[in-house]
Short mmCIF file of all heavy atoms in Angstrom, two decimals:
data_model
loop_
_atom_site.label_atom_id
_atom_site.label_comp_id
_atom_site.label_asym_id
_atom_site.label_seq_id
_atom_site.Cartn_x
_atom_site.Cartn_y
_atom_site.Cartn_z
N MET A 1 1.57 -15.81 -20.98
CA MET A 1 1.98 -14.41 -21.01
C MET A 1 2.22 -13.94 -19.59
O MET A 1 1.41 -14.16 -18.68
CB MET A 1 0.88 -13.58 -21.64
CG MET A 1 1.17 -12.07 -21.62
SD MET A 1 0.83 -11.26 -23.17
CE MET A 1 1.38 -9.59 -22.76
N THR A 2 3.35 -13.30 -19.40
CA THR A 2 3.69 -12.79 -18.06
C THR A 2 3.70 -11.26 -18.09
O THR A 2 4.29 -10.66 -18.98
CB THR A 2 5.07 -13.29 -17.63
OG1 THR A 2 5.08 -14.70 -17.65
CG2 THR A 2 5.39 -12.81 -16.23
N GLU A 3 3.03 -10.68 -17.14
CA GLU A 3 3.06 -9.23 -17.06
C GLU A 3 3.55 -8.81 -15.68
O GLU A 3 3.35 -9.52 -14.71
CB GLU A 3 1.68 -8.63 -17.32
CG GLU A 3 0.66 -9.01 -16.29
CD GLU A 3 -0.70 -8.33 -16.55
OE1 GLU A 3 -0.68 -7.12 -16.82
OE2 GLU A 3 -1.72 -9.00 -16.46
N ILE A 4 4.23 -7.67 -15.65
CA ILE A 4 4.72 -7.18 -14.39
C ILE A 4 3.64 -6.35 -13.69
O ILE A 4 3.14 -5.39 -14.28
CB ILE A 4 6.00 -6.34 -14.58
CG1 ILE A 4 7.11 -7.25 -15.16
CG2 ILE A 4 6.43 -5.69 -13.26
CD1 ILE A 4 8.38 -6.48 -15.50
N VAL A 5 3.30 -6.76 -12.51
CA VAL A 5 2.23 -6.06 -11.76
C VAL A 5 2.84 -5.47 -10.51
O VAL A 5 3.07 -6.19 -9.54
CB VAL A 5 1.08 -7.01 -11.39
CG1 VAL A 5 0.00 -6.25 -10.65
CG2 VAL A 5 0.54 -7.67 -12.66
N PRO A 6 3.13 -4.19 -10.52
CA PRO A 6 3.67 -3.56 -9.32
C PRO A 6 2.59 -3.47 -8.24
O PRO A 6 1.40 -3.41 -8.58
CB PRO A 6 4.10 -2.16 -9.77
CG PRO A 6 3.22 -1.90 -10.97
CD PRO A 6 2.96 -3.23 -11.60
N PRO A 7 2.99 -3.49 -6.97
CA PRO A 7 1.96 -3.37 -5.92
C PRO A 7 1.37 -1.97 -5.99
O PRO A 7 2.09 -0.99 -6.10
CB PRO A 7 2.77 -3.56 -4.64
CG PRO A 7 4.16 -3.15 -4.99
CD PRO A 7 4.34 -3.49 -6.44
N ASN A 8 0.06 -1.88 -6.00
CA ASN A 8 -0.55 -0.57 -6.05
C ASN A 8 -1.38 -0.28 -4.80
O ASN A 8 -2.07 0.70 -4.71
CB ASN A 8 -1.38 -0.37 -7.31
CG ASN A 8 -2.47 -1.43 -7.45
OD1 ASN A 8 -2.77 -2.15 -6.50
ND2 ASN A 8 -3.04 -1.54 -8.62
N GLU A 9 -1.28 -1.22 -3.85
CA GLU A 9 -1.99 -0.99 -2.61
C GLU A 9 -1.26 -1.78 -1.52
O GLU A 9 -0.66 -2.82 -1.78
CB GLU A 9 -3.42 -1.56 -2.72
CG GLU A 9 -4.42 -0.72 -1.95
CD GLU A 9 -5.87 -1.20 -2.20
OE1 GLU A 9 -6.25 -2.22 -1.56
OE2 GLU A 9 -6.53 -0.61 -3.01
N ARG A 10 -1.25 -1.22 -0.31
CA ARG A 10 -0.59 -1.93 0.79
C ARG A 10 -1.36 -1.62 2.07
O ARG A 10 -1.96 -0.55 2.23
CB ARG A 10 0.86 -1.49 0.95
CG ARG A 10 1.05 -0.02 1.29
CD ARG A 10 2.51 0.33 1.35
NE ARG A 10 2.70 1.73 1.83
CZ ARG A 10 3.87 2.31 1.97
NH1 ARG A 10 4.98 1.66 1.69
NH2 ARG A 10 3.94 3.55 2.38
N VAL A 11 -1.38 -2.58 2.95
CA VAL A 11 -2.10 -2.46 4.21
C VAL A 11 -1.16 -2.81 5.35
O VAL A 11 -0.43 -3.80 5.29
CB VAL A 11 -3.30 -3.42 4.25
CG1 VAL A 11 -4.07 -3.29 5.58
CG2 VAL A 11 -4.24 -3.14 3.09
N CYS A 12 -1.15 -1.99 6.42
CA CYS A 12 -0.35 -2.28 7.60
C CYS A 12 -1.01 -3.36 8.40
O CYS A 12 -2.19 -3.26 8.74
CB CYS A 12 -0.17 -1.03 8.44
SG CYS A 12 0.76 -1.38 9.95
N GLU A 13 -0.23 -4.42 8.71
CA GLU A 13 -0.79 -5.53 9.48
C GLU A 13 -0.91 -5.21 10.95
O GLU A 13 -1.48 -5.96 11.72
CB GLU A 13 0.06 -6.79 9.24
CG GLU A 13 0.03 -7.27 7.80
CD GLU A 13 0.91 -8.44 7.56
OE1 GLU A 13 1.79 -8.74 8.38
OE2 GLU A 13 0.73 -9.08 6.50
N ARG A 14 -0.32 -4.11 11.39
CA ARG A 14 -0.35 -3.77 12.81
C ARG A 14 -1.49 -2.80 13.13
O ARG A 14 -2.20 -2.97 14.11
CB ARG A 14 0.98 -3.15 13.23
CG ARG A 14 2.15 -4.12 13.15
CD ARG A 14 3.41 -3.50 13.68
NE ARG A 14 4.54 -4.43 13.56
CZ ARG A 14 5.76 -4.15 14.00
NH1 ARG A 14 6.01 -3.01 14.59
NH2 ARG A 14 6.71 -5.04 13.86
N CYS A 15 -1.62 -1.70 12.34
CA CYS A 15 -2.59 -0.68 12.71
C CYS A 15 -3.71 -0.53 11.67
O CYS A 15 -4.68 0.19 11.93
CB CYS A 15 -1.90 0.66 12.91
SG CYS A 15 -1.29 1.38 11.37
N GLY A 16 -3.57 -1.21 10.52
CA GLY A 16 -4.65 -1.15 9.56
C GLY A 16 -4.57 0.02 8.58
O GLY A 16 -5.51 0.25 7.82
N ARG A 17 -3.47 0.74 8.61
CA ARG A 17 -3.30 1.84 7.65
C ARG A 17 -3.34 1.31 6.23
O ARG A 17 -2.78 0.25 5.95
CB ARG A 17 -1.97 2.57 7.89
CG ARG A 17 -1.74 3.65 6.82
CD ARG A 17 -0.45 4.38 7.05
NE ARG A 17 -0.13 5.22 5.92
CZ ARG A 17 0.25 6.51 6.02
NH1 ARG A 17 0.37 7.05 7.20
NH2 ARG A 17 0.49 7.21 4.93
N LYS A 18 -4.00 2.08 5.38
CA LYS A 18 -4.07 1.66 3.96
C LYS A 18 -3.46 2.77 3.08
O LYS A 18 -3.82 3.92 3.21
CB LYS A 18 -5.52 1.43 3.52
CG LYS A 18 -6.12 0.18 4.13
CD LYS A 18 -7.52 -0.02 3.57
CE LYS A 18 -8.19 -1.22 4.21
NZ LYS A 18 -9.57 -1.41 3.68
N ASP A 19 -2.60 2.36 2.20
CA ASP A 19 -2.04 3.27 1.22
C ASP A 19 -2.32 2.73 -0.17
O ASP A 19 -2.49 1.54 -0.38
CB ASP A 19 -0.52 3.35 1.36
CG ASP A 19 -0.04 4.17 2.53
OD1 ASP A 19 -0.89 4.78 3.21
OD2 ASP A 19 1.17 4.19 2.78
N ARG A 20 -2.34 3.65 -1.13
CA ARG A 20 -2.34 3.23 -2.52
C ARG A 20 -1.26 4.00 -3.28
O ARG A 20 -0.90 5.10 -2.87
CB ARG A 20 -3.69 3.44 -3.17
CG ARG A 20 -4.08 4.89 -3.34
CD ARG A 20 -5.35 5.04 -4.13
NE ARG A 20 -5.77 6.44 -4.18
CZ ARG A 20 -5.22 7.31 -5.03
NH1 ARG A 20 -4.28 6.97 -5.84
NH2 ARG A 20 -5.60 8.58 -4.98
N TRP A 21 -0.71 3.38 -4.30
CA TRP A 21 0.34 4.03 -5.06
C TRP A 21 -0.27 5.00 -6.07
O TRP A 21 -1.14 4.62 -6.84
CB TRP A 21 1.18 2.97 -5.80
CG TRP A 21 2.30 3.56 -6.58
CD1 TRP A 21 2.35 3.74 -7.92
CD2 TRP A 21 3.55 4.11 -6.06
NE1 TRP A 21 3.55 4.34 -8.27
CE2 TRP A 21 4.29 4.57 -7.15
CE3 TRP A 21 4.07 4.23 -4.75
CZ2 TRP A 21 5.54 5.15 -6.99
CZ3 TRP A 21 5.31 4.81 -4.61
CH2 TRP A 21 6.05 5.26 -5.72
N ASP A 22 0.20 6.24 -6.03
CA ASP A 22 -0.29 7.26 -6.96
C ASP A 22 0.74 7.36 -8.09
O ASP A 22 1.86 7.84 -7.90
CB ASP A 22 -0.43 8.60 -6.23
CG ASP A 22 -1.08 9.65 -7.11
OD1 ASP A 22 -0.73 9.74 -8.33
OD2 ASP A 22 -1.94 10.38 -6.61
N ASP A 23 0.35 6.88 -9.25
CA ASP A 23 1.28 6.91 -10.41
C ASP A 23 1.69 8.31 -10.77
O ASP A 23 2.83 8.53 -11.21
CB ASP A 23 0.60 6.23 -11.63
CG ASP A 23 0.80 4.73 -11.60
OD1 ASP A 23 1.80 4.29 -11.05
OD2 ASP A 23 -0.03 4.04 -12.20
N THR A 24 0.78 9.21 -10.69
CA THR A 24 1.07 10.59 -11.07
C THR A 24 2.05 11.26 -10.13
O THR A 24 3.05 11.87 -10.54
CB THR A 24 -0.22 11.41 -11.10
OG1 THR A 24 -1.18 10.77 -11.92
CG2 THR A 24 0.05 12.82 -11.67
N ALA A 25 1.80 11.10 -8.84
CA ALA A 25 2.66 11.73 -7.83
C ALA A 25 3.90 10.90 -7.53
O ALA A 25 4.86 11.37 -6.96
CB ALA A 25 1.88 11.94 -6.55
N GLN A 26 3.88 9.61 -7.97
CA GLN A 26 4.99 8.70 -7.71
C GLN A 26 5.29 8.55 -6.24
O GLN A 26 6.42 8.63 -5.78
CB GLN A 26 6.25 9.16 -8.45
CG GLN A 26 6.15 8.99 -9.96
CD GLN A 26 6.21 7.51 -10.38
OE1 GLN A 26 7.20 6.85 -10.23
NE2 GLN A 26 5.09 7.00 -10.90
N LYS A 27 4.22 8.38 -5.46
CA LYS A 27 4.37 8.17 -4.02
C LYS A 27 3.13 7.47 -3.48
O LYS A 27 2.08 7.45 -4.14
CB LYS A 27 4.57 9.50 -3.30
CG LYS A 27 3.40 10.42 -3.36
CD LYS A 27 3.61 11.66 -2.53
CE LYS A 27 2.36 12.55 -2.52
NZ LYS A 27 2.54 13.75 -1.70
N TRP A 28 3.26 6.95 -2.25
CA TRP A 28 2.13 6.35 -1.58
C TRP A 28 1.22 7.43 -0.99
O TRP A 28 1.71 8.39 -0.40
CB TRP A 28 2.59 5.42 -0.45
CG TRP A 28 3.33 4.23 -0.93
CD1 TRP A 28 4.67 4.05 -0.93
CD2 TRP A 28 2.77 3.04 -1.48
NE1 TRP A 28 4.98 2.82 -1.46
CE2 TRP A 28 3.86 2.18 -1.80
CE3 TRP A 28 1.46 2.59 -1.73
CZ2 TRP A 28 3.64 0.90 -2.37
CZ3 TRP A 28 1.27 1.35 -2.28
CH2 TRP A 28 2.34 0.50 -2.59
N VAL A 29 -0.08 7.23 -1.15
CA VAL A 29 -1.03 8.17 -0.55
C VAL A 29 -2.01 7.39 0.27
O VAL A 29 -2.31 6.22 -0.04
CB VAL A 29 -1.79 9.00 -1.63
CG1 VAL A 29 -0.82 9.91 -2.38
CG2 VAL A 29 -2.55 8.12 -2.58
N VAL A 30 -2.51 7.99 1.34
CA VAL A 30 -3.43 7.30 2.24
C VAL A 30 -4.79 7.11 1.58
O VAL A 30 -5.33 8.04 0.97
CB VAL A 30 -3.59 8.08 3.54
CG1 VAL A 30 -4.59 7.40 4.47
CG2 VAL A 30 -2.24 8.21 4.26
N VAL A 31 -5.29 5.90 1.69
CA VAL A 31 -6.63 5.61 1.14
C VAL A 31 -7.70 6.22 2.03
O VAL A 31 -7.60 6.20 3.24
CB VAL A 31 -6.83 4.07 1.05
CG1 VAL A 31 -8.25 3.73 0.70
CG2 VAL A 31 -5.87 3.48 0.03
N GLU A 32 -8.74 6.73 1.39
CA GLU A 32 -9.91 7.21 2.14
C GLU A 32 -11.06 6.25 1.97
O GLU A 32 -11.33 5.78 0.87
CB GLU A 32 -10.33 8.60 1.63
CG GLU A 32 -9.45 9.71 2.13
CD GLU A 32 -10.07 11.09 1.83
OE1 GLU A 32 -11.28 11.17 1.58
OE2 GLU A 32 -9.31 12.06 1.87
N GLU A 33 -11.72 5.94 3.09
CA GLU A 33 -12.91 5.12 3.03
C GLU A 33 -14.01 5.87 3.76
O GLU A 33 -13.84 6.28 4.90
CB GLU A 33 -12.66 3.75 3.67
CG GLU A 33 -11.77 2.87 2.80
CD GLU A 33 -11.56 1.49 3.39
OE1 GLU A 33 -12.05 1.23 4.50
OE2 GLU A 33 -10.88 0.69 2.73
N ASP A 34 -15.15 6.05 3.09
CA ASP A 34 -16.25 6.80 3.66
C ASP A 34 -15.81 8.20 4.09
O ASP A 34 -16.24 8.69 5.13
CB ASP A 34 -16.89 6.06 4.86
CG ASP A 34 -17.39 4.68 4.41
OD1 ASP A 34 -17.90 4.57 3.30
OD2 ASP A 34 -17.32 3.75 5.22
N GLY A 35 -14.89 8.78 3.34
CA GLY A 35 -14.43 10.12 3.65
C GLY A 35 -13.43 10.21 4.78
O GLY A 35 -13.01 11.30 5.15
N GLU A 36 -13.04 9.05 5.33
CA GLU A 36 -12.10 9.02 6.43
C GLU A 36 -10.77 8.46 5.96
O GLU A 36 -10.68 7.31 5.56
CB GLU A 36 -12.63 8.14 7.58
CG GLU A 36 -13.84 8.67 8.27
CD GLU A 36 -13.50 9.88 9.14
OE1 GLU A 36 -12.40 9.89 9.70
OE2 GLU A 36 -14.32 10.78 9.23
N PRO A 37 -9.70 9.28 5.99
CA PRO A 37 -8.38 8.74 5.64
C PRO A 37 -7.97 7.62 6.58
O PRO A 37 -8.08 7.76 7.81
CB PRO A 37 -7.45 9.95 5.81
CG PRO A 37 -8.34 11.14 5.78
CD PRO A 37 -9.65 10.69 6.37
N GLN A 38 -7.50 6.50 6.00
CA GLN A 38 -7.14 5.34 6.83
C GLN A 38 -5.69 5.47 7.29
O GLN A 38 -4.79 4.75 6.83
CB GLN A 38 -7.36 4.06 6.02
CG GLN A 38 -8.78 3.92 5.49
CD GLN A 38 -9.78 3.81 6.61
OE1 GLN A 38 -9.70 2.92 7.43
NE2 GLN A 38 -10.72 4.74 6.67
N HIS A 39 -5.46 6.44 8.20
CA HIS A 39 -4.11 6.73 8.66
C HIS A 39 -3.52 5.67 9.53
O HIS A 39 -2.31 5.53 9.64
CB HIS A 39 -4.10 8.04 9.47
CG HIS A 39 -4.15 9.28 8.60
ND1 HIS A 39 -3.24 9.53 7.64
CD2 HIS A 39 -5.04 10.32 8.55
CE1 HIS A 39 -3.51 10.69 7.04
NE2 HIS A 39 -4.62 11.17 7.56
N GLY A 40 -4.34 4.92 10.26
CA GLY A 40 -3.83 3.99 11.23
C GLY A 40 -3.29 4.74 12.44
O GLY A 40 -3.74 5.81 12.76
N VAL A 41 -2.30 4.11 13.08
CA VAL A 41 -1.70 4.71 14.28
C VAL A 41 -0.48 5.52 13.89
O VAL A 41 0.42 5.00 13.21
CB VAL A 41 -1.31 3.61 15.27
CG1 VAL A 41 -0.65 4.20 16.51
CG2 VAL A 41 -2.53 2.78 15.66
N PRO A 42 -0.43 6.83 14.32
CA PRO A 42 0.65 7.71 13.86
C PRO A 42 2.06 7.18 14.12
O PRO A 42 2.94 7.35 13.29
CB PRO A 42 0.41 8.99 14.65
CG PRO A 42 -1.05 8.98 14.97
CD PRO A 42 -1.43 7.53 15.13
N HIS A 43 2.31 6.57 15.27
CA HIS A 43 3.67 6.15 15.62
C HIS A 43 3.92 4.68 15.37
O HIS A 43 4.90 4.12 15.80
CB HIS A 43 3.97 6.48 17.07
CG HIS A 43 3.85 7.96 17.37
ND1 HIS A 43 4.69 8.87 16.79
CD2 HIS A 43 2.97 8.65 18.10
CE1 HIS A 43 4.35 10.09 17.22
NE2 HIS A 43 3.30 9.99 17.99
N CYS A 44 2.98 4.07 14.61
CA CYS A 44 3.17 2.65 14.29
C CYS A 44 4.37 2.46 13.38
O CYS A 44 4.61 3.24 12.47
CB CYS A 44 1.91 2.15 13.58
SG CYS A 44 2.02 0.46 12.99
N LEU A 45 5.16 1.40 13.67
CA LEU A 45 6.20 0.99 12.72
C LEU A 45 5.51 0.06 11.73
O LEU A 45 5.45 -1.16 11.93
CB LEU A 45 7.33 0.28 13.46
CG LEU A 45 8.10 1.13 14.47
CD1 LEU A 45 9.06 0.25 15.26
CD2 LEU A 45 8.86 2.24 13.78
N HIS A 46 5.02 0.66 10.68
CA HIS A 46 4.12 -0.08 9.79
C HIS A 46 4.75 -1.37 9.26
O HIS A 46 5.89 -1.40 8.83
CB HIS A 46 3.69 0.81 8.63
CG HIS A 46 3.01 2.06 9.06
ND1 HIS A 46 1.87 2.01 9.84
CD2 HIS A 46 3.28 3.34 8.85
CE1 HIS A 46 1.48 3.27 10.06
NE2 HIS A 46 2.32 4.09 9.48
N GLU A 47 3.95 -2.41 9.31
CA GLU A 47 4.33 -3.72 8.82
C GLU A 47 3.48 -3.99 7.59
O GLU A 47 2.37 -4.51 7.71
CB GLU A 47 4.10 -4.78 9.88
CG GLU A 47 4.63 -6.17 9.55
CD GLU A 47 6.13 -6.27 9.71
OE1 GLU A 47 6.65 -5.83 10.75
OE2 GLU A 47 6.78 -6.79 8.78
N TRP A 48 3.98 -3.60 6.42
CA TRP A 48 3.17 -3.69 5.21
C TRP A 48 3.00 -5.13 4.76
O TRP A 48 3.96 -5.92 4.78
CB TRP A 48 3.79 -2.86 4.09
CG TRP A 48 3.97 -1.43 4.48
CD1 TRP A 48 5.15 -0.80 4.70
CD2 TRP A 48 2.94 -0.46 4.76
NE1 TRP A 48 4.92 0.50 5.06
CE2 TRP A 48 3.58 0.74 5.10
CE3 TRP A 48 1.55 -0.53 4.74
CZ2 TRP A 48 2.87 1.87 5.45
CZ3 TRP A 48 0.84 0.62 5.04
CH2 TRP A 48 1.50 1.80 5.42
N ASP A 49 1.78 -5.42 4.31
CA ASP A 49 1.46 -6.80 3.90
C ASP A 49 2.17 -7.21 2.62
O ASP A 49 2.09 -8.35 2.20
CB ASP A 49 -0.05 -7.01 3.81
CG ASP A 49 -0.67 -6.17 2.70
OD1 ASP A 49 0.05 -5.28 2.15
OD2 ASP A 49 -1.83 -6.41 2.37
N ILE A 50 2.83 -6.27 1.93
CA ILE A 50 3.53 -6.61 0.68
C ILE A 50 4.98 -6.95 0.95
O ILE A 50 5.70 -7.32 0.05
CB ILE A 50 3.45 -5.50 -0.37
CG1 ILE A 50 4.07 -4.19 0.17
CG2 ILE A 50 2.01 -5.29 -0.82
CD1 ILE A 50 4.18 -3.12 -0.88
N ASN A 51 5.45 -6.82 2.20
CA ASN A 51 6.84 -7.11 2.53
C ASN A 51 7.17 -8.57 2.31
O ASN A 51 6.39 -9.46 2.63
CB ASN A 51 7.15 -6.76 3.98
CG ASN A 51 7.27 -5.25 4.17
OD1 ASN A 51 7.28 -4.50 3.22
ND2 ASN A 51 7.33 -4.84 5.42
N GLY A 52 8.34 -8.83 1.76
CA GLY A 52 8.85 -10.19 1.70
C GLY A 52 8.18 -11.04 0.63
O GLY A 52 8.80 -11.40 -0.36
N ALA A 53 6.94 -11.34 0.82
CA ALA A 53 6.27 -12.29 -0.07
C ALA A 53 5.89 -11.70 -1.40
O ALA A 53 5.44 -12.40 -2.29
CB ALA A 53 4.99 -12.84 0.62
N TYR A 54 6.07 -10.41 -1.55
CA TYR A 54 5.64 -9.79 -2.80
C TYR A 54 6.41 -10.33 -4.01
O TYR A 54 7.64 -10.37 -4.00
CB TYR A 54 5.81 -8.26 -2.74
CG TYR A 54 5.55 -7.62 -4.07
CD1 TYR A 54 4.28 -7.68 -4.64
CD2 TYR A 54 6.57 -7.00 -4.77
CE1 TYR A 54 4.06 -7.11 -5.87
CE2 TYR A 54 6.34 -6.43 -6.00
CZ TYR A 54 5.08 -6.50 -6.56
OH TYR A 54 4.87 -5.95 -7.79
N ASN A 55 5.69 -10.73 -5.01
CA ASN A 55 6.28 -11.22 -6.25
C ASN A 55 5.78 -10.39 -7.40
O ASN A 55 4.58 -10.40 -7.70
CB ASN A 55 5.90 -12.69 -6.45
CG ASN A 55 6.56 -13.27 -7.67
OD1 ASN A 55 7.11 -12.55 -8.54
ND2 ASN A 55 6.53 -14.59 -7.78
N PRO A 56 6.67 -9.64 -8.08
CA PRO A 56 6.22 -8.73 -9.13
C PRO A 56 5.76 -9.44 -10.40
O PRO A 56 5.11 -8.84 -11.24
CB PRO A 56 7.47 -7.88 -9.42
CG PRO A 56 8.61 -8.75 -9.03
CD PRO A 56 8.12 -9.56 -7.86
N LEU A 57 6.06 -10.73 -10.52
CA LEU A 57 5.65 -11.44 -11.73
C LEU A 57 4.36 -12.21 -11.45
O LEU A 57 4.32 -13.07 -10.60
CB LEU A 57 6.74 -12.40 -12.17
CG LEU A 57 8.04 -11.73 -12.64
CD1 LEU A 57 9.03 -12.80 -13.03
CD2 LEU A 57 7.79 -10.77 -13.79
N LYS A 58 3.34 -11.85 -12.18
CA LYS A 58 2.06 -12.51 -12.00
C LYS A 58 1.71 -13.25 -13.30
O LYS A 58 1.72 -12.65 -14.36
CB LYS A 58 0.98 -11.48 -11.67
CG LYS A 58 -0.39 -12.08 -11.42
CD LYS A 58 -1.37 -10.95 -11.07
CE LYS A 58 -2.77 -11.49 -10.88
NZ LYS A 58 -3.73 -10.40 -10.65
N GLU A 59 1.38 -14.53 -13.21
CA GLU A 59 1.08 -15.28 -14.40
C GLU A 59 -0.36 -15.07 -14.84
O GLU A 59 -1.20 -14.90 -14.03
CB GLU A 59 1.32 -16.74 -14.17
CG GLU A 59 2.81 -17.08 -14.00
CD GLU A 59 3.02 -18.57 -13.84
OE1 GLU A 59 2.04 -19.33 -14.05
OE2 GLU A 59 4.12 -18.96 -13.45
ZN1 LIG B 1 0.91 0.58 11.01
#
């Protein structure tokens, strides 16, 4: 059985910013850890860990 699993979380490999996908809002929102939003560096050209290698089909 194959199901489509969209990425629901992404992490910047440069500054450590963390986002999660909000299904309701249909946009990425910053993850909070210990009450601190994981914004990373404001002017970072984010390099998301889901780029390129992401495969929507998961067995
Ligand atoms: Zn970044």
Side-chain angles (χ1 to χ4, degrees):
M1 176 136 184
T2 303
E3 64 176 315
I4 297 176
V5 181
N8 56 15
E9 215 175 80
R10 63 182 185 180
V11 179
C12 176
E13 295 177 344
R14 295 186 182 183
C15 70
R17 175 180 171 133
K18 289 184 183 179
D19 284 355
R20 67 174 175 80
W21 181 256
D22 187 317
D23 273 334
T24 306
Q26 290 289 294
K27 66 175 183 179
W28 293 101
V29 296
V30 178
V31 171
E32 283 191 18
E33 288 182 357
D34 300 325
E36 292 288 325
Q38 303 297 301
H39 281 302
V41 178
H43 299 296
C44 176
L45 296 172
H46 301 303
E47 188 76 48
W48 304 111
D49 65 348
I50 59 172
N51 285 351
Y54 172 64
N55 183 346
L57 295 179
K58 182 179 176 184
E59 292 182 11

